[in-house]
Amino acid sequence: MAPVARSVALLSDPHGVLPVLEAVLAEPDVRAADLVVVTGDLVSGPMPVETLDALTDLGDRVLLVRGNADREVVEVARGGRCEHPESVFAGEVLRPDQVALLAALPHPVVRPVAGFGDVLFCHGSPRDDDEVVLVDTRLERWAEAFADVPEEVRTVCCGHTHMPFARLVDRRLVVNPGSIGMPYGRVGGPWALLRDGQVSLRHTAVDVDAVCERVVAESSYPDARAWVDEYVRGEHSDAVALTVFAPRDGR
């Protein structure tokens, strides 16, 4: 049985953007957390090797959860096809040991957290790492997504949609910290802290120009500048993302 974590730093969707991940990991409350949980889509982006190394360097303090893009990367590395260039790139450059690590990632994962009891960590939803559930998704869809979640699990932490929120869903608390590498809306490094039964959405400010220049200088990703200009600089607003994702939540 896993030990009870007194505090959890909740991160998601770094997408291979190492400089922003490093800034978040340097936050005092992240450094002090008993557990750092990253809810998927770890490496599909411009600096996959370095990003995964930075996460695994945390040792037993880190819990990595599988995202849909992590599955894609493994498929590419093993000879499959993928329509997302970020996953194709990562699958081609990751070391064999890193591919094996991604292939073994769990989804979902339940861990005890002080003040919360058992907390479920997933990517899209507990039942599907690619399912879209949004801050304004109707309660009936949430009920479907939570159908197999044990009654005693009253907190669910997810990712996938790249927009931070915390809301109640029929007395369950749902937390999405947002995306470190591909934020829709506010640029920088979003994350969340679970401590003393309270959730706080956090944000780490970064020098966006410096981040983009470092990625371009250190990454071999094809047309890295266009990629960071689109995603790290936050070309896509939360309003646009909600509009695009909305049809996928069954409304």
Side-chain angles (χ1 to χ4, degrees), residues 9 44 75 77 81 136 156 163 178 194 199 205 210 218:
S44 294
E75 291 168 6
R81 296 181 178 274
D136 61 346
V156 174
M163 293 169 282
L194 282 65
V199 173
E218 298 181 14

Side-chain angles (χ1 to χ4, degrees), residues 104-183:
L105 291 180
H107 184 280
V109 182
V110 176
R111 288 288 183 89
V113 181
F116 294 90
D118 285 344
V119 176
L120 186 147
F121 300 97
C122 60
H123 187 62
S125 79
R127 66 179 180 177
D128 184 347
D129 62 23
D130 197 29
E131 182 168 14
V132 167
V133 279
L134 302 163
V135 66
D136 61 346
T137 291
R138 70 192 195 285
L139 288 175
E140 293 82 3
R141 182 57 172 250
W142 282 107
E144 294 169 4
F146 289 168
D148 295 328
V149 177
E151 183 65 25
E152 63 269 20
V153 174
R154 309 310 299 167
T155 303
V156 174
C157 299
C158 56
H160 190 42
T161 56
H162 298 202
M163 293 169 282
F165 70 83
R167 63 161 289 181
L168 284 174
V169 175
D170 193 14
R171 302 185 183 182
R172 268 198 181 99
L173 178 63
V174 181
V175 184
N176 187 326
S179 171
I180 286 175
M182 300 170 71

Side-chain angles (χ1 to χ4, degrees), residues 42 66 69 143 154 171 178 180 182 196 208 221:
L42 311 177
R66 187 192 74 224
R154 309 310 299 167
R171 302 185 183 182
I180 286 175
M182 300 170 71
D196 299 327
V208 177
Y221 186 87

Side-chain angles (χ1 to χ4, degrees), residues 69-94:
D70 302 313
R71 283 191 295 104
E72 294 174 354
V73 170
V74 173
E75 291 168 6
V76 169
R78 295 178 174 175
R81 296 181 178 274
C82 178
E83 64 179 342
H84 299 117
E86 303 90 356
S87 296
V88 172
F89 175 73
E92 292 174 345
V93 301
L94 287 178

Side-chain angles (χ1 to χ4, degrees), residues 132 134 136 241-251:
V132 167
L134 302 163
D136 61 346
L242 282 169
T243 301
V244 172
F245 283 141
R248 292 185 57 190
D249 77 350
R251 66 184 66 189

Side-chain angles (χ1 to χ4, degrees), residues 6-8 29 32 113-114 116 193-200 202:
R6 293 168 298 173
S7 62
V8 172
D29 281 339
V113 181
F116 294 90
L193 184 69
L194 282 65
R195 184 172 63 192
D196 299 327
Q198 305 293 320
V199 173
S200 56
R202 303 291 187 92

